[in-house]
Amino acid sequence: STGDLLRAAVASGSTMGKQAEDIMRVGGLVPDDVVIGIIRDRIREEDCRAGFILDGFPRTVAQAERLSALLAETDDSLSKAVILEVPDEALEVRICGRWLHMASGRSYHVRFKPPKSLPQGAEPTSENMRDNETGEPLEQRADDTKEALKKRLANYHESTKPILAHYKAKGLVRTVDASRGPAEVCQNVLSLCGVGPSPVDHRDDAVAAKADAAA
């Protein structure tokens, strides 16, 4: 992800990393030219020769155009823009139920991966949500609330529509049903990237269900 790239660049002490660090230290947004510079440095490394995936970038049409210009310079090209589709309601369940052990990065979920400390059927609190290994209290991110999520989703949809239109015009957009389980979503993404078996297709299941309902 670009966040990982920024942190790695800062840790490496590179020229671009130092620029990013100065901006991040005061809480500013790292400008596109610095992000593009960090991406340029990273994709020149040996492990990117056979290809690479950018997670969460670009987020605006301006960034997409800058990325296209960069790839033209490096004699690369974008092969696909993979969109992970999840209904907003499902995202609310996933995100608002997430609790973290900040020191280790271990994550839990009230419904899908509860800690041992949470009694069945109990409402999660800072008292009964504790890390399995240390027993320390878990925390929720400040923006993992219904109110904050509504704003995040509104901003996402507003910024994503132009990006989708930009890449659809180039025939690059591929969609993955990310409401499925993690293993299936991973398999489908890897398949679209030319790695692993063919994606799982549930359209036949849906047709069969409709036929059963009609009968």
Side-chain angles (χ1 to χ4, degrees):
S1 70
T2 48
D4 290 339
L5 289 181
L6 287 169
R7 286 185 286 273
V10 169
S12 73
S14 67
T15 300
M16 285 294 176
K18 290 177 181 177
Q19 291 183 39
E21 183 178 24
D22 291 340
I23 297 166
M24 293 163 68
R25 187 183 295 118
V26 297
L29 291 175
V30 180
D32 289 350
D33 59 338
V34 175
V35 176
I36 287 289
I38 289 172
I39 291 174
R40 178 187 290 111
D41 291 345
R42 182 64 182 87
I43 65 177
R44 285 174 174 167
E45 295 184 21
E46 183 67 27
D47 61 350
C48 289
R49 292 203 171 201
F52 51 87
I53 297 173
L54 295 174
D55 176 17
F57 187 89
R59 293 180 181 270
T60 66
V61 172
Q63 288 179 346
E65 292 172 344
R66 293 288 299 273
L67 178 61
S68 294
L70 166 62
L71 296 179
E73 290 175 17
T74 59
D75 200 26
D76 290 304
S77 62
L78 195 68
S79 60
K80 294 177 185 68
V82 179
I83 309 299
L84 303 181
E85 289 191 335
V86 185
D88 288 359
E89 311 80 61
L91 284 175
E92 181 177 316
V93 171
R94 290 182 180 182
I95 292 175
C96 296
R98 180 171 58 187
W99 288 68
L100 305 171
H101 182 244
M102 297 301 184
S104 67
R106 284 186 289 274
S107 63
Y108 298 84
H109 193 279
V110 172
R111 180 183 299 183
F112 306 121
K113 189 184 175 184
K116 298 174 183 177
S117 59
L118 179 65
Q120 188 171 2
E123 286 294 317
T125 68
S126 57
E127 293 299 320
N128 61 24
M129 294 293 286
R130 293 183 172 273
D131 179 48
N132 286 348
E133 295 191 21
T134 66
E136 295 171 344
L138 303 177
E139 300 176 45
Q140 281 191 296
R141 282 174 33 175
D143 56 353
D144 280 356
T145 65
K146 291 183 179 180
E147 295 73 22
L149 180 60
K150 286 179 182 178
K151 295 179 181 178
R152 291 166 64 188
L153 287 174
N155 290 336
Y156 170 78
H157 291 307
E158 183 179 352
S159 63
T160 299
K161 286 180 180 177
I163 285 283
L164 284 176
H166 177 82
Y167 285 127
K168 279 182 177 177
K170 299 176 181 292
L172 297 177
V173 172
R174 305 290 185 273
T175 59
V176 170
D177 179 2
S179 65
R180 301 286 176 177
E184 184 177 326
V185 173
C186 181
Q187 175 185 334
N188 291 346
V189 170
L190 290 175
S191 177
L192 286 175
C193 296
V195 181
S198 299
V200 178
D201 190 342
H202 290 275
R203 286 177 297 180
D204 290 340
D205 296 342
V207 171
K210 288 181 180 178
D212 290 342

